[in-house]
């Protein structure tokens, strides 16, 4: 039986769509460049431009008024003069009290220890999720992501309810006759807060790496007589290192500049660069000094990113 139904002719594209398709070729831009243009413009407008503004403020000096910093460009007698001050950067490293260097070192130490805790806790969790039956993986991943459905500030406040002197932990210890522990306003509370808050950032990239691991490699290792512990250290751990490095950097980098957790859980002696920045910006109204601290912290953060990229490239090249 033959279908005699007449199909309506396809409508030709509108002039606007035709012009839109021909636009990249008309201006000499490839399709790939046109796709990259949108995120590049976004990063330029909301990252590079503000970064350039902050860097410019860091080269000024503090003054009373609006804005609370001196102008870099001045005109006097028809002459345009550019004045750059490096005193803020010099003061960061030569301050007699050492408060800025101590804050940087303390931030790196706290971020590094918290990252180690995240690795020790997150690796078994990611490994268990990757080895779980496929029907349970999405459920387990949802439980990992579930804390992000609530406010970050609310989660830190809730954590303080567990750690304070009359909190859940000490009340539970009192039932067994154990003396209460001092956890709030200590570095330990900051470690717990950072590890708890950023643990999903470590688990997710590591899980993505582990779930792609070829099971045939593990079976071959078992057939050759290797025990599970040796298989783990010889095959699983080396192949999962890109995920470990990526997850560790996702924890370490934001932890360096953390402000909320040290303010709510840490004590007066917990000096991190985020709290110093807050004091310089709002308490002392020293915007140039604060901007110099922010740029210095950015440089310190870029170094781990470069090391992470180098490590990942070395692993990829080693597999070829």
């Amino acid at each position: 039986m033959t279908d005699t139904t007449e199909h309506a002719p396809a409508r030709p594209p509108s002039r606007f769509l035709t012009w839109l398709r021909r636009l990249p070729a008309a201006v000499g831009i490839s399709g790939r460049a046109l796709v990259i243009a949108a995120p590049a413009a976004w990063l330029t407008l909301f990252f590079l431009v503000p970064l350039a503004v902050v860097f410019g403020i860091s080269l000024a000096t503090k003054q009373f008024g609006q804005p609370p910093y001196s102008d870099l460009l001045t005109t006097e007698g028809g002459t345009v003069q550019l004045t750059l001050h490096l005193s803020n950067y010099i003061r960061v490293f030569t301050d007699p009290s050492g408060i800025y260097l101590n804050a940087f070192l303390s931030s790196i130490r706290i971020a590094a220890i918290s990252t180690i805790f995240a690795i020790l806790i997150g690796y078994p969790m990611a490994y268990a999720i990757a080895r779980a039956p496929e029907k349970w993986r999405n459920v387990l991943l949802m439980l990992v992501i579930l804390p992000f459905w609530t406010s970050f500030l609310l989660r830190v406040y809730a954590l303080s309810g567990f750690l304070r002197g009359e909190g859940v932990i000490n009340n539970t210890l009192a039932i067994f006759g154990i003396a209460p522990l001092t956890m709030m306003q200590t570095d330990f509370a900051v470690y717990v807060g950072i590890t708890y808050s950023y643990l999903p950032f470590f688990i997710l990239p590591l899980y993505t790496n582990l779930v792609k691991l070829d099971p045939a490699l593990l079976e071959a290792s078992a057939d050759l007589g290797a025990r599970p512990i040796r298989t783990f250290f010889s095959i699983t751990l080396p192949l999962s290192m890109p995920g470990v490095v990526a997850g560790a950097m996702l924890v370490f980098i934001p932890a360096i500049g953390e402000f909320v957790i040290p303010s709510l859980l840490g004590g007066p002696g917990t000096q991190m660069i985020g709290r110093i920045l807050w004091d310089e910006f709002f308490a002392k109204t020293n915007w140039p000094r604060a901007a110099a601290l922010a740029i210095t912290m950015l440089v310190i953060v870029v170094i781990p990113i470069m090391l992470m990229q180098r490590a990942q490239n070395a692993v990829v090249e080693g597999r070829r």
Side-chain angles (χ1 to χ4, degrees):
M1 185 174 180
T2 306
D3 186 9
T4 58
T5 304
E6 294 183 0
H7 296 280
R11 295 180 59 183
S14 63
R15 292 183 178 181
F16 175 75
L17 291 177
T18 304
W19 174 83
L20 193 62
R21 292 172 182 173
R22 296 177 179 176
L23 179 61
V27 297
I29 301 177
S30 63
R32 180 181 298 179
L34 191 63
V35 172
I36 298 176
W42 178 274
L43 290 176
T44 300
L45 183 61
F46 295 103
F47 177 72
L48 294 180
V49 173
L51 181 62
V53 172
V54 173
F55 181 68
I57 294 175
S58 70
L59 298 175
T61 57
K62 178 183 177 181
Q63 69 176 16
F64 295 97
Q66 292 294 335
Y69 53 87
S70 62
D71 295 328
L72 297 182
L73 287 175
T74 57
T75 57
E76 184 177 353
T79 302
V80 179
Q81 183 176 356
L82 175 64
T83 305
L84 304 178
H85 299 272
L86 299 177
S87 56
N88 296 306
Y89 291 97
I90 296 174
R91 185 63 180 269
V92 168
F93 296 100
T94 61
D95 186 79
S97 63
I99 183 173
Y100 303 122
L101 286 179
N102 291 335
F104 278 121
L105 296 176
S106 176
S107 298
I108 294 174
R109 174 178 56 83
I110 292 176
I113 295 176
S114 301
T115 302
I116 294 173
F117 285 153
I119 294 174
L120 297 177
I121 298 173
Y123 198 105
M125 295 177 65
Y127 186 85
I129 296 174
R131 292 292 173 266
E134 191 170 354
K135 63 179 181 179
W136 291 107
R137 289 178 187 173
N138 291 334
V139 177
L140 296 174
L141 286 176
M142 186 192 69
L143 294 177
V144 173
I145 303 173
L146 194 61
F148 287 104
W149 294 5
T150 59
S151 169
F152 175 77
L153 187 61
L154 183 61
R155 283 184 280 134
V156 177
Y157 267 121
L159 190 61
S160 66
F162 280 84
L163 300 177
R164 63 172 177 253
E166 298 179 354
V168 176
I169 296 178
N170 281 327
N171 287 338
T172 304
L173 294 177
I175 297 176
F176 300 96
I178 301 176
L181 303 176
T182 302
M183 293 177 288
M184 280 293 292
Q185 296 185 346
T186 62
D187 288 351
F188 172 77
V190 179
Y191 299 147
V192 173
I194 293 177
T195 303
Y196 164 73
S197 301
Y198 294 106
L199 188 61
F201 291 104
F202 178 81
I203 294 176
L204 294 178
L206 180 58
Y207 162 79
T208 304
N209 183 277
L210 288 172
V211 78
K212 296 178 181 178
L213 188 62
D214 190 358
L217 297 175
L218 306 180
E219 295 175 0
S221 177
D223 292 340
L224 293 174
R227 295 183 178 182
I229 188 67
R230 183 173 182 181
T231 300
F232 174 79
F233 284 104
S234 300
I235 298 177
T236 304
L237 184 60
L239 293 179
S240 64
M241 283 308 297
V244 173
V245 174
M249 290 298 101
L250 289 177
V251 176
F252 179 78
I253 291 172
I256 291 181
E258 182 58 52
F259 168 73
V260 175
I261 295 175
S263 299
L264 297 180
L265 303 181
T270 307
Q271 291 293 339
M272 294 189 68
I273 197 62
R275 298 180 66 175
I276 300 297
L277 281 172
W278 174 274
D279 292 339
E280 293 291 340
F281 264 116
F282 299 102
K284 301 179 181 178
T285 323
N286 194 341
W287 288 24
R289 184 75 51 76
L293 287 170
I295 295 296
T296 305
M297 183 178 67
L298 178 63
V299 174
I300 294 175
V301 169
V302 165
I303 294 176
I305 296 177
M306 295 175 62
L307 294 176
M308 177 191 70
Q309 188 67 34
R310 183 176 179 180
Q312 289 182 335
N313 292 337
V315 172
V316 173
E317 291 177 359
R319 292 180 181 178
R320 294 177 181 175

